[in-house]
Amino acid sequence: MHGAVKVPKDVIDGLRTQGFKLTNARRAIVEVLCARSMPVSVAELIAELAKRGARADKTTVYREILFMQERGIVDQVQFGDRVKRYEFRDDGHHHHLVCVECGVVVDVPLENDLEAAEKVIERKTGYAITRHSLEFFGVCPDCR
């Protein structure tokens, strides 16, 4: 089994405050998400859980991901390939830079937030924006 990854205290406290337990499956999934540097698909998550000796079937993983997504613990991202990936929601808002050759994903924080742009878009379209996702695609230095 891999070295233990510390589950962030705010995740544990948040679940307990809402009256939920940190089950073995939830803990294992959060540990994998915290340890990964890139968003992970359910298939990758199941494979990583198996490597760690954690027992969780596909249904359990999907149920737990949905549970944590509904509570703001994980975010779902897609990079145009129709694969849903999940990552632990951290304190800093970020976007992604995706290599179109090898698939590596790098977090990209932007110095200027997009709140002003969102307000303009809302005013022009009448939409009430609830969230946004921004990905940049290119070729990483290793693949160039």
Side-chain angles (χ1 to χ4, degrees), residues 78-80 93-101 103-112 114 132-140:
Q78 292 186 30
F79 301 132
H93 181 73
H94 64 271
H95 303 282
H96 299 100
L97 179 58
V98 182
C99 179
V100 296
E101 296 291 328
V104 72
V105 179
V106 178
D107 290 346
V108 179
L110 295 178
E111 288 186 25
N112 299 330
L114 299 176
H132 70 263
S133 175
L134 177 62
E135 284 75 43
F136 300 93
F137 297 88
V139 180
C140 74

Side-chain angles (χ1 to χ4, degrees), residues 53-120:
R55 292 186 341 180
D57 62 32
K58 190 175 182 178
T59 302
T60 299
V61 172
Y62 272 110
R63 185 176 55 243
E64 292 300 332
I65 286 291
L66 179 61
F67 172 88
M68 289 187 280
Q69 203 177 353
E70 289 171 343
R71 282 149 190 84
I73 297 167
V74 299
D75 286 325
Q76 176 185 299
V77 294
Q78 292 186 30
F79 301 132
D81 58 359
R82 297 186 181 173
V83 176
K84 294 177 183 177
R85 293 175 177 85
Y86 303 91
E87 65 181 349
F88 183 70
R89 181 177 287 178
D90 60 13
D91 292 336
H93 181 73
H94 64 271
H95 303 282
H96 299 100
L97 179 58
V98 182
C99 179
V100 296
E101 296 291 328
C102 68
V104 72
V105 179
V106 178
D107 290 346
V108 179
L110 295 178
E111 288 186 25
N112 299 330
D113 64 28
L114 299 176
E115 286 183 33
E118 286 180 355
K119 298 286 185 220
V120 171

